Amino acid sequence: MVRADVVRALNEEYARLRDENSQIHAKREDEVIAADPGIEPLVRGGSALFQRSARMLLMHPERAEALAKETRAQAAANDQALRARLVKLGYAADYLDPIYRCPVCRDTGYVGSGVRTACACFQQRLAQRLYEASAGSGPEQSFESYDEAVFPNDELVDGAHTQRQLALLVRSLCRDYADSCPDRGKPGLLLMGNTGLGKTFLLNCIRNALVARGFAPVKATGYRMFEAMHGAHFGETEKREEFRELIACDILLIDDLGTEPMMQNITREYLFMLLNERLAEGRRTVMATNLTPGDLLNRYGERLFSRLFDGMTMQTAELKGRDLRLCARRK
Ligand SMILES: [Zn+2]
């Protein structure tokens, strides 16, 4: 998935920013000390204090609380003296404060201790990058370029429509879905049908229509979704973030649902969690699968099946007919 690469690149970007800012900070310290050598103990005071208190803590662990309090008070006094002296030298009082672009996450991109979540600044950049990435891929797959002439028109495939008629019906359903996103209509859409009937093409049409309207849909295959679930289950931080993003993103497109491995306690449970949370929150979710309704019931069980076919939140459509790739080869 493009997403993991984008996250990795963003993490590196944040690390570079932290490096640059700490270099600028070090330069400022040198500059101030050169202007006023007497200020050095105050400039180095903060870190010296914490080193001393760490040593004390090792020797007197029973006094941890008192030591911490003492250290905080000394640090505050040091900081106050430093600021006053900086102002006297003609600098801004905060000239030697740590430099951060984002004060919330201190440019780590994450907030919280223990369970870390992506900071708002990170999420915003991520959405932007994903948008740029998806705008650049497959723009030729659009509702406008959807050519119904490739579908056979010679026999009824569902008792009422030819393959071409059915394909046009499903296209217009997908188009309405994309047009009504994200505020109107049911949040979920499930596209079913055998390989080679154009499901992935339609999924890309929906995605590109949304990208053109300025949204940043996230697209994943069933397999990549499984990797995120599996990693989240076993506590991998990056995968847990990825799975959380799959739950939280505004618009999610899952291609090839049903190609992911079935693993006990993971596949059904996490997929249910994903769909349940997304649909309850009204988040747009499109899935394409080669599986029939019967296959879906067998594979995912009753509970998940009733989520997928819940008429309140889901629309479903099934493409039928001959594999287009085989049709083309026959000509
Ligand atoms: Zn931040």
Side-chain angles (χ1 to χ4, degrees), residues 228-259:
M229 293 169 169
H230 182 267
H233 187 72
F234 289 102
E236 291 171 41
T237 310
E238 194 181 327
K239 296 294 175 193
R240 203 168 49 200
E241 283 304 317
E242 209 171 291
F243 184 61
R244 192 171 294 148
E245 169 73 11
L246 292 180
I247 290 183
C249 64
D250 292 333
I251 304 167
L252 177 65
L253 307 166
I254 302 171
D255 200 6
D256 280 335
L257 179 73
T259 56

Side-chain angles (χ1 to χ4, degrees), residues 33 35-42 85:
I33 291 169
D36 174 12
I39 204 174
E40 185 161 7
L42 289 175
R85 191 139 172 176

Side-chain angles (χ1 to χ4, degrees), residues 139-201:
E140 70 283 354
Q141 300 197 323
S142 67
F143 290 118
E144 289 71 27
S145 68
Y146 188 91
D147 181 10
E148 68 266 26
V150 301
F151 297 97
N153 203 27
D154 48 0
E155 55 186 4
L156 301 182
V157 289
D158 66 348
H161 306 93
T162 66
Q163 185 169 350
R164 185 177 301 171
Q165 288 168 335
L166 188 60
L168 281 173
L169 281 174
V170 177
R171 180 191 68 168
S172 93
L173 183 122
C174 289
R175 190 174 210 157
D176 288 347
Y177 179 88
D179 288 345
S180 64
C181 242
D183 305 319
R184 291 176 292 114
K186 295 170 186 173
L189 175 61
L190 175 64
L191 297 175
M192 293 169 288
N194 287 330
T195 322
L197 297 181
K199 293 184 307 295
T200 298
F201 192 98

Side-chain angles (χ1 to χ4, degrees), residues 6-16 18 108 110 122:
V6 177
V7 168
R8 199 168 303 122
L10 261 183
N11 279 328
E12 283 165 13
E13 195 182 303
Y14 272 66
R16 264 200 311 279
R18 291 195 301 273
T108 59
Y110 297 91
F122 193 89

Side-chain angles (χ1 to χ4, degrees), residues 14 101-111 118-123 125:
Y14 272 66
R101 178 175 62 189
C102 174
V104 179
C105 66
R106 302 186 161 197
D107 299 341
T108 59
Y110 297 91
V111 290
C119 181
C121 73
F122 193 89
Q123 285 171 356
R125 281 187 175 77

Side-chain angles (χ1 to χ4, degrees), residues 55-67:
R55 271 200 310 275
M56 293 285 285
L57 195 60
L58 280 175
M59 292 187 289
H60 307 284
E62 75 288 351
R63 290 190 53 220
E65 218 170 302
L67 277 171

